[in-house]
Amino acid sequence: MVTLDLRHVASPAVRDLLHLVNHPDFDRAQQQIEHLGGCTEPVRLTGQSTTIDTTTGEVLRAYTASGEPTGSLLTACGNRRASRCPACSRLYAADTYHLIRAGLSGGKTVPDTVRTHPRVFATLTAPSFGPVHNRPTTPSGNIRPCRCRKLHEPTDALIGTPLNPATYDYAGAVLFNAHASALWARFTTYLRREIAARLGMTQKAAHAVLRVSFAKVAEYQKRGLVHFHAVIRLDGPDGSITPPPSSATVAVLMDAIRAAALRVRVAVVSDAIGERELSWGQQLDVREIAAFGTDAELTDQAVAAYVAKYATKSADSSGALDRALFCRSCQGRGATFLPHGTPLPCTACDGTGQARPLPRLGMARHVRQMIRTCWELGKLPEFAALKLWKWAHMLGFRGHFSTKSRSYSTTLGALRAARRTWRTEQARTHAGLPEHDLDTTLVVGHWAYLGTGYSPGAALLAAAVWHRRELARQFIAEGGC
């Protein structure tokens, strides 16, 4: 037997890992971490559960979290943001992929005939609030100099930042983000009206013979503004199971999308900043989605993968924060967090609700100014409903990153329920429990929240699990077997 003197091991994480490895029940601890698939911020629970056969009263299984090597039950955090948890965000992206793909190719309660329905991929962008650094290209694809007369590299931090911050409309940019969901809601209303007009029908008559189904995700541009990628499909009156009228073609849908986007306006009135009229930007991209197996670039599979990729991104892709700013002292939004989550003194108020200047944060000046603008506008009574202080870390955007219409396809809840059922069956088999009808089995549990995260040593094991699985995925993607 080899004895290690842990006093000579400098790293606390390594020392903790050695303690964990020498634990008598290390195999169970490793099994828990493996089961989470590399989740970086698991939820720790304490409590117990009992599985009872309601017909006989027999206790089939009793579980107590205190019996675990770590003294708690670890469950995945389920965070969709790749910057917070790569493992859980990958699972979220996979669910989004299947949800989008089912609405294009069928499956998951959607018939295969949905492939014949008119469907397009549309991107609605934000307008300009001032010139920014960029990498313009010629029609042949060559890079042209920016307005600052420089050729920016793709990773240049200046891309997306204003050429003249003093004249950039920061208030307009923040208000656009805050009203982006309202702009989308009006767009869908106008879209239905435009389709009815092109079919020569009243809105009531059009509603009786067709439905507009969609699924969309929000993405942040480098300049900190959101834009939407959407799959839009025309169905019959009963949704995906019925085809739309023959007159409802892809050309009609594409033309209606362009007309509807131009009509959308949201008026904002404020004594402090004057009257504003928010609208979509001029860069509107609408393309038909081709069937899988064709030579076209925009196929069912490509669109589903594209949308799923952006479903796991957030404001951090534009250089902002990936968690809310919250002051524990005054219970207000306005604290700055260090990378490991420790809050610094409040930057929005002095404990009395009075705003004070925002100090330097570890981010680009442009993003910092958008956060400051959120706090300044959040003090105005006319913008109280926008909750700009609460959503300052998202640069004012407070909508869902992934939404869909009811009849587009299955739901994320249904996909998760199917996975939960499968895992329950796997756990039952692993525990050696006899087969029982779910209607005659009762699970009684009492759980309490302990916190999040691993011990330093367990975090090293979790990182190893994620790294190993990533290598396996890359190997398979490169044609390995």
Side-chain angles (χ1 to χ4, degrees), residues 307-329:
V307 172
K309 171 182 141 183
Y310 287 109
T312 60
K313 296 179 69 176
S314 56
D316 56 287
S317 61
S318 63
L321 303 174
D322 62 358
R323 65 185 72 217
L325 303 174
F326 182 75
C327 179
R328 294 180 180 175
S329 60

Side-chain angles (χ1 to χ4, degrees), residues 173-186:
V174 167
L175 290 175
F176 175 86
N177 281 349
H179 289 86
S181 297
L183 288 168
W184 173 261
R186 296 197 181 189

Side-chain angles (χ1 to χ4, degrees), residues 1 3 42 62 116 127 143 179 218 259 339 378 404 410 418 452:
M1 180 177 179
T3 303
T116 63
I143 305 299
H179 289 86
K404 74 173 190 67
T410 185
T452 60

